[in-house]
Amino acid sequence: MMIPTEAALIARSVLSCPERLTLRVGEQREALEDEAYDVTSDVHGSPVFSASEGSALLAAARRGAGGVLEVTSGLGDPACGDRRLDLFLQGRLARRGAGCSCCGDPRSLVALEVSRVTLFRDDRPVPVDVARYRDRELVLNPGYLQRTAEHANEAHEQELRAAMASTFGVPLQSLLAASLLRVDASGVDVSWLDTAGGHTERLDFLRTVSSPQELGTALRSHLHAGIC
């Protein structure tokens, strides 16, 4: 049996670190799996999507349609128990301004204003208190921190190699690989492989961070200015 605070934290973590998303809209719960939309952010537990101007998602938001977001967990390793989690968010769709239009494809932001949260573990439902789920203190949840490390490893490996070389005095030409093992609010565990073998180190932030913005600043300060 999960306690309410634990259920809320796990639910936010699943939303922050999904393996798969399915958005269903309207009374018929029609899936928009093939729609060209992306989750761009999580505003206190409400997922925000980027949708094209002619999309069914934006049309649904303009008429205030209901929506259900099904989230399959991407937490932890593929073989761990946290991958057996699923999250269902029910609410109403609403347009929340414009997204980036620099690529010649004007897009709008659509939020699912969450009114009901249900977490499933091995197909057993666990109702989640919406107020606890929306708690601002849950923004740096384990799922968000995991996804931060994964993004850095996938998109910024070159910058990480440069950072390890500079921070630990390793010749860049001998550094074969670098990655973040774990990110938390107090610091980051890093690893690298060079011609002498594998290495791990802990880099502590100057102070504990409490927001995504502070986390990004701390990572850029301790690792590389190019990490976003």
Side-chain angles (χ1 to χ4, degrees):
M1 177 73 70
M2 292 186 198
I3 63 174
T5 52
E6 178 190 14
L9 177 61
I10 293 174
R12 286 288 292 275
S13 294
V14 171
L15 178 60
S16 294
C17 191
E19 178 181 315
R20 186 174 64 255
L21 299 166
T22 302
L23 180 61
R24 301 183 183 277
V25 173
E27 294 183 2
Q28 304 302 317
R29 300 288 171 85
E30 185 176 346
L32 297 183
E33 292 179 280
D34 297 328
E35 177 84 29
Y37 66 83
D38 302 295
V39 175
T40 61
S41 60
D42 158 16
V43 181
H44 310 308
S46 288
V48 179
F49 307 92
S50 171
S52 62
E53 284 299 310
S55 68
L57 177 58
L58 183 56
R62 283 173 170 155
R63 67 175 185 268
V68 176
L69 181 65
E70 303 172 10
V71 188
T72 300
S73 172
L75 292 174
D77 296 324
C80 78
D82 286 342
R83 291 296 177 97
R84 299 197 301 270
L85 293 165
D86 293 287
L87 178 66
F88 281 62
L89 303 177
Q90 184 173 343
R92 196 149 296 278
L93 295 165
R95 187 173 184 270
R96 288 290 178 262
C100 176
S101 59
C102 60
C103 300
D105 178 23
R107 301 182 72 82
S108 292
L109 300 179
V110 174
L112 178 65
E113 302 294 353
V114 177
S115 58
R116 185 176 181 181
V117 181
T118 308
L119 189 65
F120 286 81
R121 185 187 290 275
D122 294 325
D123 295 327
R124 294 192 299 271
V126 179
V128 180
D129 180 81
V130 175
R132 292 180 187 271
Y133 167 83
R134 295 180 65 86
D135 190 337
R136 293 171 181 264
E137 297 297 320
L138 300 184
V139 63
L140 290 185
N141 56 70
Y144 183 90
L145 296 170
Q146 176 184 328
R147 188 48 53 92
T148 297
E150 291 174 348
H151 170 75
N153 293 335
E154 293 167 2
H156 299 288
E157 201 270 344
Q158 187 172 358
E159 290 94 333
L160 290 176
R161 290 177 62 243
M164 304 305 170
S166 174
T167 301
F168 300 107
V170 181
L172 184 58
Q173 62 271 22
S174 71
L175 207 154
L176 305 176
S179 65
L180 306 187
L181 295 177
R182 180 174 178 270
V183 177
D184 58 52
S186 300
V188 57
D189 296 323
V190 302
S191 71
W192 72 92
L193 177 67
D194 59 25
T195 52
H199 311 268
T200 60
E201 290 286 346
R202 171 74 175 181
L203 295 174
D204 291 316
F205 299 150
L206 295 178
R207 62 184 182 86
T208 300
V209 301
S210 60
S211 71
Q213 293 75 20
E214 290 181 359
L215 177 62
T217 298
L219 289 173
R220 288 189 293 271
S221 173
H222 285 72
L223 293 173
H224 195 281
I227 292 178
C228 60

